Amino acid sequence: MTELDRRSFLGRGLATTGGVLASGLAIETLSAHAAWAGAGRPAADPRESGYGPLRRMPARNTGEEYLALPAGFSYVVLSKSGTPMTDGVATPIAHDGMAAFPGTRRHTVRLIRNHEVRTTPGSPVGRVYVEGSRRYDELGVGGTTTLEVDLRSGAVLRHFVSLNGTIVNCAGGRMLYDRGWLTCEETTAGPTQGWQRKHGYIFAVPLDGPAPGSPAPSPPLTAMGRFSHEAVAVDPRTGYVYETEDQSGTPDGFYRFRPSDPRDLAKGGVLEMLKIRGVDGYDCREGQTMGARLPVEWVRIDDPDPDLENGATTCTGQGLAKGGAKFNRLEGCWYGDGSVFFNSTSGGDAKNGDPPNADGYLEGYGQVWQYVPGRRDGGTLVLVYESPGRKELDSPDNLTFTPRGGIVLCEDDASSADADPHPLAPGLTNVNRLIGLDPRRGQPFEFAVNIADECEFAGACFSPDGSVLFVNNFGDSVSLDPPGRTYAIRGPWHRGPL
C-alpha cells in the first residue's frame, strides 16, 4: 500500500501534529528509563520525583476529596455515574477509555468516553441507552458518551449518549485524521450468553454526527476481528490499525488491520497477528531484555469473524497456530513518531503473586512495548519498559503521551495476592495511581493517587492545547457503587516532566 497523502496528514491540526512531534521526546523518555533500569540502579521511590510530594485535595466544584495531587494542581469533577445528561439519560457506569478532540466552539474540547458496562442483557442498571435510537443490539448495555467542555470554566456544555447497543466497551483509539473514535468491545459474548447479536467487535463513533438524542447507528467492523478487544492505534502514514487483546488467563495477541480503504474501514481488509520472525510461539511475557530489537513478521487471520457459537477457532487460536507471539493482558495503545506503543498489563519477570494462568504463566507487574513498522519488512519489536515491582508501577492499563513529551500510565491493580496500600489513602488495600515517566532521568514518579476507592484510572488524555489532563475513575461495572467519575486536572505543567 502506498503512503497516504502527506499533505492531508500534516494538515490534521495543532492537537494531533503537536502530539506526534512531542512523542519523539517520549521515546527518549522510555529509552532513558530502559538505560536507567538496565544499569542496575535501584528502583527510586516514585513519591520523591516528578512534581514533588502529593497531598489530598478536594475537587474545586464539589468540595469532596477524590484525588491526591502535587502542590499547585487542582481538579473538577465533570460527570458522575447516575447524574442526568443533556439528553435526559442518566450518566452510565464504568468510565473507561477516552479521547479529547477540538470542540465545536472556541475554547472547548469534545471528549468521547467508553463505558465498560458488564451487567446482564437489557439490564437498566447504569445502561448506555437512548429510547427509540438505532443500535446494533437491542439488549446492549454498553457504548459511549460525549462531553463538550469549556476549558476556561470547566463547565460541561453538553453531555449525551453517542453510541449504544454494544457491550463491555473498554478502550479504543482515534480514527484516521481524527475523524472520530474507534470503540472496542472487550468480550466475545453472543446469543449463547443471552445477547441478541454477536459481540467482540470495533465500532466507529464519528466526531461529527452524534447529538443529544441521536446516537451514531454504527454497525460492527467485523473484518477488524472478533476477539476481546482493548485498544487501537492508527498509523497515519499507511492507515493500518494496530489492535491489542485482553482475554483473562490465556495468551493474547497483538494485531494489525490493513484496510482496503483507510478512509472507510467498513470496506474490509486483512487482519494479521504479530510473530517474531523465524520463531513459532515466541513468549514476550517474561525473560525479555529491555532495548533488544526483535524482528517481526505477520501471520494472517483467515477467519476474522469466527462463528464461536458453533465451534469456530478464535482469532487468537488461529494466530498462535501459525506461530504468533504471546503476550499477557495487552491494553493501552498509542501511535507516535513512527512507532506504536502498547502496554502488557501483567507481563514481566517480577511476579505479583496471583495464581498461574491456564498455561502456567505467572503474571508480572507490567511492560511497555514499542513496535516500529518496517518499510521493506515486518518491522521491529522492542521492550522499552518493564516494572520491577508494585512500588514503581503496578499493572499499567491505558497510556498517553503528553504534548510536552512526557508519558502518563494509568494503573489497574488487578492483583488479588499483593496488597498495595498508600499512606495518602488510609483504609484502602489496592490503591491505583497515575504514574509519569521523567524524560530527564527515566525514573517513574507518582502524579496522582485515587484516594476515593480502589478503582482503576482510565482514559487519560490531554486537551488539544495541553492545558488540561482528563482522566476517568472507572467506578464499578455492574452497579452505581462506587460511581464512575471524569476529572479535569490543570496546573503548572511546565514545572515538571509532563
Side-chain angles (χ1 to χ4, degrees):
M1 178 185 294
T2 59
E3 290 194 358
L4 296 173
D5 179 45
R6 180 170 176 79
R7 220 174 283 169
S8 297
F9 167 51
L10 293 175
R12 294 164 70 196
L14 176 62
T16 303
T17 305
V20 171
L21 293 175
S23 68
L25 297 175
I27 293 171
E28 293 177 10
T29 301
L30 289 166
S31 299
H33 177 80
W36 171 77
R41 297 172 185 168
D45 188 335
R47 302 166 200 164
E48 298 177 355
S49 56
Y51 290 86
L54 276 58
R55 62 181 183 180
R56 297 170 63 100
M57 61 178 62
R60 287 189 307 165
N61 58 336
T62 69
E64 297 179 85
E65 292 184 342
Y66 302 116
L67 300 178
L69 293 168
F73 285 85
S74 63
Y75 68 101
V76 297
V77 180
L78 296 179
S79 76
K80 175 183 174 182
S81 296
T83 57
M85 298 187 293
T86 306
D87 56 6
V89 177
T91 303
I93 60 176
H95 296 27
D96 209 307
M98 184 168 64
F101 302 87
T104 55
R105 286 181 276 178
R106 191 180 179 190
H107 302 302
T108 65
V109 64
R110 175 174 290 192
L111 300 174
I112 302 180
R113 179 182 62 196
N114 276 6
H115 294 273
E116 191 185 313
V117 185
R118 291 182 176 269
T119 55
T120 56
S123 170
V125 179
R127 184 182 184 185
V128 187
Y129 181 76
V130 174
E131 184 70 38
S133 64
R134 295 168 58 192
R135 51 188 163 269
Y136 172 64
D137 188 332
E138 287 297 319
L139 299 179
V141 293
T144 67
T145 53
T146 293
L147 298 82
E148 289 271 2
V149 181
D150 187 318
L151 288 173
R152 295 167 299 181
S153 67
V156 177
L157 306 177
R158 297 194 303 167
H159 188 186
F160 54 91
V161 173
S162 45
L163 177 78
N164 64 169
T166 55
I167 64 174
V168 196
N169 294 72
C170 191
R174 308 168 82 96
M175 295 172 63
L176 183 66
Y177 305 140
D178 284 350
R179 292 178 294 115
W181 172 249
L182 294 172
T183 181
C184 300
E185 293 183 314
E186 189 191 6
T187 181
T188 55
T192 305
Q193 290 78 30
W195 306 100
Q196 279 192 348
R197 309 285 293 274
K198 298 190 302 180
H199 292 274
Y201 301 115
I202 295 175
F203 297 76
V205 185
L207 190 59
D208 299 320
S214 301
S218 181
L221 299 168
T222 57
M224 299 184 74
R226 183 188 182 194
F227 56 87
S228 292
H229 286 278
E230 184 66 38
V232 302
V234 180
D235 184 339
R237 301 171 304 175
T238 61
Y240 292 179
V241 183
Y242 293 88
E243 311 174 25
T244 58
E245 178 179 37
D246 180 14
Q247 52 181 352
S248 179
T250 59
D252 298 311
F254 181 64
Y255 301 82
R256 76 175 179 187
F257 178 66
R258 295 189 288 113
S260 301
D261 181 351
R263 295 170 179 82
D264 187 355
L265 299 178
K267 291 184 177 179
V270 175
L271 182 68
E272 300 167 314
M273 181 185 282
L274 180 144
K275 175 186 176 182
I276 301 305
R277 188 189 307 159
V279 183
D280 287 344
Y282 187 91
D283 198 335
C284 296
R285 298 174 295 181
E286 57 189 351
Q288 303 306 299
T289 301
M290 283 193 287
R293 299 175 65 83
L294 302 172
V296 166
E297 59 183 300
W298 294 88
V299 295
R300 182 164 182 159
I301 305 301
D302 297 314
D303 182 8
D305 185 16
D307 185 3
L308 303 178
E309 288 71 25
N310 290 298
T313 303
T314 64
C315 289
T316 319
Q318 295 175 59
L320 294 180
K322 292 185 176 183
K326 299 176 183 178
F327 297 90
N328 189 254
R329 291 192 63 202
L330 294 186
E331 304 229 20
C333 194
W334 188 270
Y335 174 87
D337 202 46
S339 295
V340 178
F341 297 85
F342 58 98
N343 285 338
S344 171
T345 297
S346 301
D349 292 341
K351 305 303 181 182
N352 64 23
D354 277 353
N357 287 351
D359 65 349
Y361 170 71
L362 295 172
E363 295 189 337
Y365 285 100
Q367 301 167 319
V368 181
W369 291 90
Q370 176 189 10
Y371 167 70
V372 184
R375 292 185 179 273
R376 294 183 175 85
D377 57 20
T380 306
L381 183 69
V382 184
L383 176 64
V384 290
Y385 176 94
E386 183 170 295
S387 175
R390 65 175 175 82
K391 180 179 286 188
E392 183 170 320
L393 177 69
D394 191 349
S395 307
D397 193 313
N398 296 160
L399 81 162
T400 189
F401 286 7
T402 79
R404 287 155 292 274
I407 298 170
V408 177
L409 299 161
C410 298
E411 283 191 332
D412 176 11
D413 179 7
S415 171
S416 58
D418 188 5
D420 192 12
H422 196 286
L424 290 172
L428 299 181
T429 302
N430 291 301
V431 174
N432 286 292
R433 306 167 295 173
L434 291 180
I435 297 293
L437 288 182
D438 189 328
R440 296 163 296 185
R441 296 180 293 173
Q443 293 182 359
F445 64 91
E446 289 183 352
F447 175 73
V449 175
N450 178 8
I451 61 175
D453 51 49
E454 296 185 357
C455 298
E456 67 184 90
F457 278 113
C461 56
F462 275 83
S463 60
D465 66 358
S467 66
V468 179
L469 171 63
F470 300 99
V471 68
N472 293 322
N473 175 48
F474 182 87
D476 193 71
S477 61
V478 296
S479 73
L480 288 165
D481 187 22
R485 299 184 186 89
T486 297
Y487 304 118
I489 303 171
R490 63 170 66 243
W493 300 109
H494 64 282
R495 295 182 185 175
L498 302 181

